[in-house]
Amino acid sequence: MSILVTGGSGFIGSHTCVELLNSGYDTIILDNLCNSKSESVKRIKEITGKDVKFYECDIRDREGLDKIFAENSIEAVIHFAGLKCVPESISDPLSYYDNNIGGTVTLCQVMAAHGCKTMIFSSSATVYGVATEMPLTEGMPLGAINPYGRTKYFIEEMLRDVFVSDNSWCIALLRYFNPIGA
């Protein structure tokens, strides 16, 4: 089984790639390197002792994505790619909407064109907005309060709509807080 990991050279993506490779999955990394460095791909190879395909490509690049899917038998996508800085999203919201939402639309269109309808989407706990009680649960109301959080929320809603329109899709949404640090 080949799994495409978008944003695979970033922090969460690279750790996921290590686990996938160590579990025997054929792993393909797609990353435009705007939030990461190609050095992490070398480190993934060193840590696992296994080869991993790497494509420097943006998720908004339809031709590039189509080429990657045409060259590989991708059965699932773990989608980490996206801009991720809350203050930057407030000062430059259009870049966040274009990259995060527009890129995910393009990715889903290319996936569908190649018969790949399995996705794990890296969302965020920011979709909850300001918490009124803790701990948060999946059933709590959503209310993102910044452009970054809204892009994650809108993508979740879009993926729900994709599934409703075609329930042959298999989609999981991951919401987590700060993945590193205290």
Side-chain angles (χ1 to χ4, degrees):
M1 175 180 215
S2 292
I3 299 175
L4 176 66
V5 181
T6 70
S9 66
F11 179 77
I12 301 172
S14 62
H15 282 76
T16 300
C17 288
V18 167
E19 293 304 315
L20 289 170
L21 288 163
N22 285 338
S23 296
Y25 290 98
D26 179 25
T27 305
I28 301 157
I29 297 172
L30 174 149
D31 204 305
N32 69 3
L33 303 177
C34 78
N35 286 324
S36 60
K37 298 187 184 320
S38 61
E39 178 65 26
S40 53
V41 177
K42 293 177 193 168
R43 296 291 313 271
I44 291 167
K45 292 177 183 182
E46 290 171 8
I47 290 167
T48 64
K50 298 177 181 177
D51 196 28
V52 60
K53 287 184 183 179
F54 171 71
Y55 292 90
E56 186 173 346
C57 182
D58 192 288
I59 58 172
R60 296 169 293 179
D61 178 356
R62 184 179 309 274
E63 288 179 16
L65 288 173
D66 192 57
K67 179 179 186 262
I68 293 166
F69 275 86
E71 291 177 0
N72 300 279
S73 296
I74 297 168
E75 297 178 47
V77 173
I78 303 177
H79 181 30
F80 294 113
L83 298 177
K84 59 184 171 81
C85 177
V86 170
E88 182 182 69
S89 79
I90 294 167
S91 65
D92 188 11
L94 292 178
S95 290
Y96 276 70
Y97 288 109
D98 176 47
N99 187 85
N100 296 2
I101 297 172
T104 303
V105 168
T106 301
L107 175 63
C108 288
Q109 289 170 334
V110 172
M111 287 174 65
H114 288 271
C116 177
K117 295 184 177 181
T118 300
M119 176 188 278
I120 297 173
F121 172 60
S122 177
S123 188
S124 171
T126 61
V127 298
Y128 293 108
V130 179
T132 56
E133 62 181 272
M134 290 297 227
L136 293 173
T137 63
E138 288 182 36
M140 290 181 146
L142 304 179
I145 59 170
N146 56 64
Y148 166 72
R150 279 189 284 279
T151 66
K152 294 296 190 174
Y153 171 72
F154 294 158
I155 292 167
E156 286 189 14
E157 290 298 302
M158 177 187 73
L159 293 173
R160 282 185 187 90
D161 291 339
V162 167
F163 177 78
V164 167
S165 74
D166 177 359
N167 66 8
S168 67
W169 279 81
C170 182
I171 300 169
L173 307 174
L174 303 178
R175 294 180 185 154
Y176 36 82
F177 295 86
N178 186 359
I180 59 173

